[in-house]
């Protein structure tokens, strides 16, 4: 019987893996064990046998049940894709990019092992995402563990170890001579180990191969295959057209030594394409990721999960019952946390989950926390100022409960400081990119001649305010609106007085 690929068609034994083959042709068994997937973004992609072994585990299959865009799906019905297909796409692009460099520059001595490690890193980079993706580590964990610095990348590292041990995959890593490369794979995802001050902090590869660390997760310029895949995949699902071309960027890339380190550099004529790439990021955040309805549904989900944290438990190692917030340190328990936690809570008969269920049902019925207003500050603002702003807004409330009014409280206000940028705050990420000329010589950015319409500022901040009131609490919503408007008028007036005082000196 012919080996069948995941799309239901027979795998082609004559087809090379990916775009371009390694220096040494794969063993014949590669074509028997590799799988071909029909991806809606990249077309037919070939997955390496070891990657297939990783994919066919409970730990990896879990990604099928975590939405790539979290609560964005509640606003954009097309945004139904999951971390699973994104991970396959990143692995494919990582292998494609690495092989192109291998073919164009044999002197780099990129081995088939290097290519496979980069592919595995792309495949496993999101193993640590929790329910509703970034909502879990950016909002839920900080709400229940004050001051926490935990990020999903930490869980990805732990999940790789757990996946290998739980499924006895070390023998498969040995089969492909990767038993000593697991540290390298982790470094490709999360950067160098902590507390390393030496000039070359990585352990997986020597400094001569520094460029390999810029393919999956580029810590310097932010240009990597992870972004390329989610830009393409998200825009496809959201119904948005984008103009940048990642395959053209790969074709016009070279590894060149800059200040003692080998970096992936791009042709100078691709600078406009890169600006398109970063502008795509800005547009996706503006229109979808940071959409005002997306963010308030996320706020409601977080409120529900925080209230459920001590009552909705999952079994960890040796059957120990753990809170959701404790599962981040136990990969057995963490494997069981996916987006369906919301449905499990809603269906639970536990009276302790009653408040959580009420909030989730409100979100389902679109009885959302009302949006009060959005303001563009002309001053430097940060999340640290939010408690002070809430106090100022509440102080303007003149409702007296004894007279039938409803006093506004700080707990009823939700304030978000939303940032839209090119990925590096108020800095221009192009300044971190290395360009080369037609003669393969390193040159400086030509941003002054790329276009006169480039942004003068690379970050925009807005303040959004909501009120946690129920649909029937019309008086409270009106009170919140009036207090917020007064507060903003005072802020603007204060800024004008400050400007006048300074200019008159």
């Amino acid at each position: 019987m012919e080996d069948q690929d995941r799309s239901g068609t027979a795998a082609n034994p004559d087809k090379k893996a990916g775009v371009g083959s390694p220096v040494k042709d794969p063993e014949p068994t590669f074509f028997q064990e590799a799988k071909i997937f029909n991806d809606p973004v990249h077309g037919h992609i070939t997955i390496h046998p070891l990657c297939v072994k990783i994919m066919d585990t409970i730990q990896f299959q879990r990604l099928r049940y975590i939405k790539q865009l979290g609560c964005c799906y509640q606003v954009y019905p097309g945004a139904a894709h999951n971390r699973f297909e994104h991970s396959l796409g990143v692995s494919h692009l990582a292998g494609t990019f690495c092989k192109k460099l291998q073919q164009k520059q044999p002197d780099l001595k990129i081995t088939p092992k290097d290519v496979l490690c980069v592919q595995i890193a792309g495949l496993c980079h999101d193993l640590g995402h929790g329910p509703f993706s970034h909502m879990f580590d950016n909002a839920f964990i900080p709400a229940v563990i004050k001051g926490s610095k935990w990020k999903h990348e930490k869980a990805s590292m732990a999940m790789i170890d757990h996946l290998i041990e739980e499924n006895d995959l070390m023998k498969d890593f040995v089969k492909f001579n990767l038993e000593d490369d697991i540290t390298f794979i982790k470094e490709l995802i999360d950067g160098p180990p902590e507390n390393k001050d030496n000039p070359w902090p990585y352990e997986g590869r020597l400094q001569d191969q520094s460029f390999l660390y810029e393919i999956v997760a580029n810590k310097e310029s932010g240009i990597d295959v992870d972004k390329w895949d989610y830009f393409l995949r998200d825009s496809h699902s959201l119904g948005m057209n984008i103009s940048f071309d990642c395959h053209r960027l790969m074709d016009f890339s070279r590894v060149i030594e800059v200040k003692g380190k080998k970096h992936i550099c791009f042709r100078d004529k691709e600078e406009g394409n890169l600006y398109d790439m970063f502008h795509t990021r800005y547009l996706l955040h503006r229109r979808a990721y940071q959409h005002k309805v997306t963010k308030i549904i996320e706020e409601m989900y977080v409120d529900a999960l925080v209230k459920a944290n001590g009552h909705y438990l999952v079994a960890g190692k040796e059957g120990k019952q753990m809170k959701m917030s404790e599962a981040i340190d136990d990969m057995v328990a963490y494997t069981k946390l996916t987006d369906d936690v919301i449905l499990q809570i809603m269906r639970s008969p536990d009276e302790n989950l009653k408040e959580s269920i009420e909030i989730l049902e409100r979100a389902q019925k679109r009885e959302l926390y009302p949006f009060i207003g959005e303001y563009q500050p002309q001053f430097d603002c940060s999340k640290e100022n939010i408690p002070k702003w809430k106090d100022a807004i509440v102080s303007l409330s003149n409702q007296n409960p004894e007279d039938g009014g409803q006093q506004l409280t700080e707990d009823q206000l939700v304030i978000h400081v939303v940032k839209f940028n090119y990925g590096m705050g108020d800095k221009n990420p192009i300044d971190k990119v290395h360009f080369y000329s037609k003669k393969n010589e390193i040159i400086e950015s030509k941003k002054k001649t790329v276009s006169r319409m480039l942004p003068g500022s690379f970050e925009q901040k807005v303040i959004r305010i909501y009120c946690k009131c129920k649909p029937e609490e019309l008086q409270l919503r009106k009170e919140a609106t009036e207090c917020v408007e007064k507060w903003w008028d005072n802020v603007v007036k204060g800024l004008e007085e400050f400007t006048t005082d300074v200019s008159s000196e």
Side-chain angles (χ1 to χ4, degrees), residues 9-119:
T9 58
N12 181 359
D14 297 321
K15 183 177 177 64
K16 296 292 185 182
V19 179
S21 57
V23 174
K24 179 182 177 183
D25 287 335
E27 297 295 328
T29 55
F30 172 89
F31 302 111
Q32 297 170 4
E33 298 176 6
K35 299 295 180 183
I36 299 174
F37 290 77
N38 187 5
D39 184 78
V41 175
H42 304 299
H44 286 84
I45 60 178
T46 302
I47 302 296
H48 190 280
L50 182 54
C51 292
V52 173
K53 287 283 187 179
I54 293 169
M55 286 170 53
D56 291 342
T57 64
I58 296 297
Q59 293 74 26
F60 190 89
Q61 292 293 316
R62 163 183 177 271
L63 298 180
R64 287 185 184 270
Y65 311 106
I66 298 176
K67 289 281 184 291
Q68 172 79 11
L69 298 187
C71 293
C72 225
Y73 176 54
Q74 302 296 322
V75 178
Y76 288 87
H81 55 301
N82 304 304
R83 289 282 160 185
F84 180 88
E85 48 264 42
H86 165 62
S87 297
L88 268 64
V90 175
S91 179
H92 166 68
L93 287 181
T96 299
F97 198 6
C98 202
K99 289 171 186 175
K100 285 197 174 189
L101 293 174
Q102 181 188 58
Q103 290 175 332
K104 287 190 295 184
Q105 297 179 262
D107 57 302
L108 295 176
K109 298 180 180 178
I110 299 173
T111 67
K113 278 181 60 174
D114 294 331
V115 175
L116 181 52
C117 285
V118 170
Q119 288 174 315

Side-chain angles (χ1 to χ4, degrees), residues 12 16 47 50 59 83 90 137 186 195-196 232 243 247 253 269 271 306 329 351 384 395 445 495:
N12 181 359
K16 296 292 185 182
I47 302 296
L50 182 54
Q59 293 74 26
R83 289 282 160 185
V90 175
D137 52 347
K186 292 179 181 178
N195 301 321
K196 294 273 188 174
L232 293 169
S243 58
H247 292 283
S253 64
K269 64 180 179 179
E271 188 164 351
V306 168
D329 297 316
E351 283 294 318
E384 286 70 28
S395 68
S445 165
L495 286 173

